[in-house]
Amino acid sequence: MVSKSLSVNSTTAYSVAVGICIGAVATGVMAKLPLMALFKGLSKKDKADVKALKIEVPTDCGEDDSSVSSDNVNVEFMSQACTLATKNLLKNTGGPFGCVIVRDGKIIGQGANSVTTSKDPTCHAEMNAIRDACKNVDDFVLEGATCFTSCEPCPMCYAALRWARIDNIYFANTRKDAHDIGFSDQDIYDEIEKKSQKMERLTSPKASEAFNMWSEDTKFTRY
């Protein structure tokens, strides 16, 4: 009799566990409940029932990775940016960085790092992609566009992307990944954060000339 009671209680517990799992997933509070522990306690039949509902029950409650995009379309554009980086190395025309700029589902600009071949330290992949996109759309504003770059933009490129009014920026490798292979911008980040870069004002009687012209004459194109 005791054995039968335990069996009933066990079955009930399993059913409750399934209900909690499904409810937690449906309400978006998975991170607050020990779902993995509950799921492990289910019978094979209960697990099958959960899977049949087509609700994904987490099997790993590790670090939150919500900042990583998994959208198939975005992944395809990112793949193209990374391919540009690889091809750039194979041609030995610059560093291992590639970038594409997309608007309305189409690539409007692309570029790879060409610092060494262009003899220009500003020719990063993002900068070249911005130049290409602006030329192709015949405008200096890229509102509505998204940047896909194979590596987290350096301070220069990030600023340029913002100046171009790029809506969204996706990157694959991180600044730490770049640092690990010899491309480090940490000193620049440090200067920005600590304001350690020495700057002094050196004025000139002609300094305000261009500013005054811009302010007083509306014929100049605003941006």
Side-chain angles (χ1 to χ4, degrees), residues 112-153:
N113 181 288
S114 64
V115 169
T116 55
T117 51
S118 298
K119 304 296 188 296
D120 184 343
T122 70
C123 285
H124 289 194
E126 296 91 340
M127 302 294 285
N128 286 339
I130 290 172
R131 290 163 180 150
D132 186 47
C134 288
K135 178 181 178 181
N136 291 333
V137 302
D138 192 27
D139 200 350
F140 49 79
V141 175
L142 299 176
E143 286 181 332
T146 297
C147 168
F148 297 87
T149 178
S150 65
C151 187
E152 186 174 358

Side-chain angles (χ1 to χ4, degrees), residues 31-74:
K32 297 181 180 179
L33 293 175
L35 294 182
M36 185 176 179
L38 291 173
F39 190 65
K40 283 186 175 180
L42 301 178
S43 65
K44 291 183 178 179
K45 180 180 181 302
D46 290 328
K47 289 180 180 179
D49 290 340
V50 172
K51 291 180 179 179
L53 291 174
K54 296 184 179 179
I55 297 177
E56 184 179 353
V57 177
T59 57
D60 183 6
C61 297
E63 296 182 1
D64 179 22
D65 204 23
S66 59
S67 64
V68 179
S69 172
S70 59
D71 182 270
N72 289 336
V73 175
N74 288 344

